[in-house]
């Protein structure tokens, strides 16, 4: 067992932990990062399958994500635009695929008007919120007492409008059914992206991708830090803490440090045994943040056949199995890659099936938008972060009903030398790599101020 003495030990080599370590290192602090997996990047992860680049985890970057943009600029990493040319496809309640241009779904004018009304309401509420302190919103207590599902129906009788708007946050972002989280949590999701308009505009929120992939950002930071700082295959299951510091116990390395940054998702905080135990407020708080569940489906074809048909590959179906679909062809590749998402209850149903039945059902779901050519991909791959010990869900964690107002104020408090950092605790960039980077920088800055102060 190797023993190290450092100013700061970071637990977790995802974007948040690595950014924190990078900032600390630049400020002249000694640091070690202990990572459970045999790779860096956490919920960002890339593989190449039959020649096609597949981003298994986080991948898109939007113009408001200036925290992440400033990091990639510093690292000299470029971005490329997602393929957006051509018509989108909407799958209506009768299962008909309708190609359309513009931002509005091809539904009845009255439904479009109701959707716009709900979107305006969400925009107004989001504008009143500081995403760093959602619990201080003027209606925070009230909004946290009602599920997003019921909140939408409180404001509209148009079931289709409620479903269509609900999709953007429930299946699309928090990846939980809309009846399981509050309207306040939904407003935070909108506010964290600048507005609800931004969230519902796929050309904004899914604007660009990273050359070298999103995991490449973590790899570039880890490379700059080097092997003397980042230690893979070192899950920390025990953390001793006291007035002057901590001892973090990894698999093959222990680190004594003045401070620790726990840069893992909140649903995993209780995997670590804290000695002594954490205060009761944290014990309770940590039980109310849970992961959503989504299957990210990749299907790779010999060519992007939908482009020849004047389609962008962007498809939506609020009632469909695959509720969103996009052209996900990596820059420079001649094959065509589609990425689809299957969320919460529909994901549960898919994991109940055997492999063959699951593949058939999902490809049928994609073909419902783009026709029979979609049935025969050369690569078919399902991201399964829920089965990964060091994540246990996707995309990220959110509070249960009433949890954000009650427990949120405690989430960013440090406990003596222990600081928490992850995208799940971010205001701006909440649940996104941008939020992870912002939180990493914030934790590092707080610690540098303490150590120097
Ligand atoms: P993580 O990335 O989860 O990193 C935490 C690290 O801690 C992991 O490496 C883990 O192995 C390690 N760890 C856990 N427990 C321990 C322990 N006890 N000891 C040591 N190490 C430990 N975001 C976007 O911005 N754009 C997207 O398009 C997007 N799409 C996504 C798609 C999917 C399928 C998923 C899963 C996520 C997506 N996200 C996206 C979200 C984004 O990936 C996360 O918000 C981001 O990775 C969070 O970074 P983090 O550092 O906070 O946590």
């Amino acid at each position: 067992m190797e023993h190290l003495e450092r100013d700061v030990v970071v637990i977790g080599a995802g974007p948040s932990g690595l950014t924190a370590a990078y900032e600390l290192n630049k400020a002249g602090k000694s640091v070690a990062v202990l990572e459970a997996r045999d790779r860096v990047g956490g919920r960002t992860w890339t593989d190449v399958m039959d020649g096609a680049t597949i981003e298994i985890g986080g991948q898109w970057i939007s113009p408001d994500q200036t925290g992440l943009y400033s990091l990639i600029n510093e690292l000299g990493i470029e971005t490329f635009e997602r393929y957006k040319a051509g018509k989108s496809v909407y799958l209506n309640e009768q299962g008909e695929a309708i190609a359309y241009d513009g931002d509005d779904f091809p539904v009845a004018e009255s439904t479009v008007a109701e959707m716009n009304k709900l979107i305006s309401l969400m925009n107004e509420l989001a504008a009143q919120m500081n995403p760093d302190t959602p619990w201080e919103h003027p209606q925070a207590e009230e909004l946290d007492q009602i599920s997003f599902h019921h909140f939408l129906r409180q404001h509209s009788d148009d079931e289709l409008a409620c479903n269509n708007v609900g999709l953007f946050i429930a299946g699309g972002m928090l990846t939980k059914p809309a009846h399981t989280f509050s309207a306040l949590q939904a407003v935070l999701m909108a506010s964290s992206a600048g507005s609800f308009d931004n969230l519902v505009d796929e050309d904004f929120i899914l604007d660009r991708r990273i050359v070298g992939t999103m995991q490449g950002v973590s790899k570039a930071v880890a490379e700059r830090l080097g092997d003397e700082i980042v230690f893979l295959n070192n899950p920390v299951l025990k953390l001793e803490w006291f007035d002057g510091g901590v001892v973090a116990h990894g698999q093959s390395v222990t680190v004594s440090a003045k401070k620790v940054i726990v840069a893992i998702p909140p649903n995993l905080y209780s995997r670590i045994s804290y000695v002594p135990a954490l205060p009761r407020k944290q014990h309770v708080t940590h039980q109310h943040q849970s992961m959503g569940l989504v299957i990210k489906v990749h299907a790779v074809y010999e060519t992007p056949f939908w482009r020849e048909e004047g389609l962008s590959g962007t498809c939506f179906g609020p009632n469909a199995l695959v509720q969103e679909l996009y052209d996900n062809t990596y820059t420079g590749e001649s094959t065509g890659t589609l990425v689809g998402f299957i969320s919460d209850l529909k994901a549960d149903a898919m994991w109940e099936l055997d492999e063959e039945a699951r593949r058939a059902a999902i490809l049928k779901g994609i073909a419902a938008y783009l026709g029979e050519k979609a049935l025969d991909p050369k690569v078919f791959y399902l991201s399964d972060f829920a089965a990964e010990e060091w994540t246990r869900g996707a995309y990220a964690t959110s509070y249960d009903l009433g949890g954000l107002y009650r427990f949120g104020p405690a989430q960013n408090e440090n406990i003596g030398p222990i600081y928490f950092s992850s995208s799940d605790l971010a205001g701006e960039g909440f649940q996104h790599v941008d939020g992870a980077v912002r939180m990493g920088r914030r934790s590092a800055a707080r610690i540098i101020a303490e150590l120097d102060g």
Side-chain angles (χ1 to χ4, degrees):
M1 177 73 74
E2 191 177 355
H3 184 80
L4 306 170
E5 308 237 340
R6 301 285 163 95
D7 291 323
V8 184
V9 57
V10 178
I11 303 174
S16 199
L18 286 170
T19 305
Y22 185 47
E23 294 300 318
L24 289 160
N25 183 253
K26 283 194 290 182
K29 307 299 172 203
S30 60
V31 57
V33 182
L34 300 183
E35 165 56 46
R37 288 174 159 107
D38 62 359
R39 60 169 183 85
V40 299
R43 281 169 273 174
T44 66
W45 187 18
T46 309
D47 205 349
V48 176
M49 298 176 198
D50 204 359
T53 305
I54 305 289
E55 297 208 57
I56 297 167
Q59 61 167 69
W60 283 297
I61 178 168
S62 56
D64 59 316
Q65 296 182 341
T66 52
L68 177 55
Y69 262 114
S70 69
L71 177 63
I72 62 171
N73 288 342
E74 194 176 329
L75 297 168
I77 291 175
E78 306 276 329
T79 61
F80 66 96
E81 196 178 7
R82 180 173 65 84
Y83 185 82
K84 297 170 187 165
K87 287 181 188 290
S88 306
V89 175
Y90 178 79
L91 204 62
N92 70 14
E93 282 175 304
Q94 291 72 43
E96 293 161 336
I98 304 169
Y100 69 101
D101 286 309
D103 295 333
D104 292 335
F105 287 165
V107 291
E109 260 177 48
S110 57
T111 298
V112 172
E114 282 297 295
M115 284 179 67
N116 287 337
K117 187 183 87 182
L118 292 170
I119 291 169
S120 297
L121 173 64
M122 290 300 288
N123 275 332
E124 267 171 50
L125 291 168
Q128 294 161 355
M129 179 182 276
N130 173 351
D132 284 335
T133 50
W135 41 87
E136 288 175 9
H137 185 278
Q139 288 164 258
E141 189 171 6
E142 175 192 333
L143 289 172
D144 214 27
Q145 285 172 2
I146 181 164
S147 75
F148 189 46
H149 174 96
H150 288 106
F151 172 83
L152 291 171
R153 282 148 187 86
Q154 226 178 31
H155 292 278
S156 176
D157 294 332
D158 188 322
E159 187 59 21
L160 185 57
C162 293
N163 264 339
N164 282 348
V165 170
L167 164 83
F168 291 109
I169 288 196
M173 286 287 163
L174 301 180
T175 61
K176 292 178 174 179
H179 61 266
T180 63
F181 61 86
S182 74
L184 186 68
Q185 185 73 73
V187 177
L188 168 59
M189 193 73 242
S191 162
S192 73
S195 68
F196 198 77
D197 273 338
N198 286 348
L199 270 192
V200 300
D201 179 359
E202 74 279 1
D203 288 345
F204 180 90
I205 202 75
L206 311 180
D207 182 32
R208 300 182 74 83
R209 293 176 60 189
I210 308 282
V211 175
T213 78
M214 192 66 96
Q215 189 195 12
V217 178
S218 286
K219 284 184 173 171
V221 175
E223 206 166 288
R224 289 196 180 200
L225 292 170
D227 293 345
E228 298 297 306
I229 293 185
V230 182
F231 297 87
L232 303 178
N233 301 306
N234 264 285
V236 174
L237 298 179
K238 183 176 165 190
L239 182 67
E240 295 175 79
W241 60 288
F242 37 89
D243 262 358
V246 298
V247 183
H249 297 263
Q251 183 101 336
S252 61
V253 183
T254 59
V255 186
S256 298
K258 294 172 193 150
K259 307 276 183 197
V260 61
I261 299 178
V262 180
I264 67 180
N267 61 310
L268 296 182
Y269 290 163
S270 59
R271 275 308 306 279
I272 299 175
S273 186
Y274 303 84
V275 183
L278 293 178
R280 76 172 64 72
K281 188 156 57 162
Q282 273 67 35
H283 275 167
V284 178
T285 298
H286 296 165
Q287 294 179 58
H288 290 269
Q289 286 163 293
S290 59
M291 277 274 173
L293 175 67
V294 67
I295 305 174
K296 184 174 183 182
V297 183
H298 272 100
V300 182
Y301 304 87
E302 291 299 343
T303 60
F305 61 85
W306 52 94
R307 294 185 189 177
E308 290 146 29
E309 293 160 21
L311 300 175
S312 61
T314 300
C315 306
F316 295 105
N319 297 309
L321 173 65
V322 181
Q323 72 205 359
E324 301 166 77
L325 192 68
Y326 304 98
D327 185 322
N328 210 30
T329 310
Y330 187 72
T331 183
E333 291 180 355
S334 59
T335 46
T337 301
L338 290 171
V339 65
F341 294 92
I342 301 173
S343 185
D344 55 85
L345 300 170
K346 291 170 189 156
D348 293 345
M350 286 301 103
W351 291 125
E352 288 298 316
L353 300 177
D354 66 41
E355 199 177 333
E356 206 181 315
R358 183 161 53 239
R359 178 187 164 107
I362 294 173
L363 287 173
K364 196 172 157 215
I366 297 177
Y369 294 106
L370 296 177
E372 301 231 320
K373 285 184 192 159
L375 291 173
D376 192 23
K378 61 187 215 124
V379 174
F380 178 77
Y381 179 81
L382 306 181
S383 296
D384 188 10
F385 273 93
E388 295 251 336
E389 179 172 15
W390 304 109
T391 303
R392 303 185 176 198
Y395 309 108
T397 66
S398 49
Y399 282 98
D400 51 18
L401 198 64
L404 180 57
Y405 179 74
R406 182 174 170 206
F407 303 112
Q411 71 180 16
N412 284 317
E413 285 172 7
N414 61 300
I415 314 303
I418 307 174
Y419 292 71
F420 297 98
S421 183
S422 76
S423 68
D424 315 67
L425 305 179
E428 284 175 89
F430 171 56
Q431 292 211 346
H432 286 85
V433 176
D434 175 67
V437 168
R438 288 174 193 270
M439 287 302 296
R441 286 188 174 145
R442 193 185 302 175
S443 310
R446 286 175 67 195
I447 287 178
I448 292 165
E450 282 249 342
L451 293 178
D452 292 348

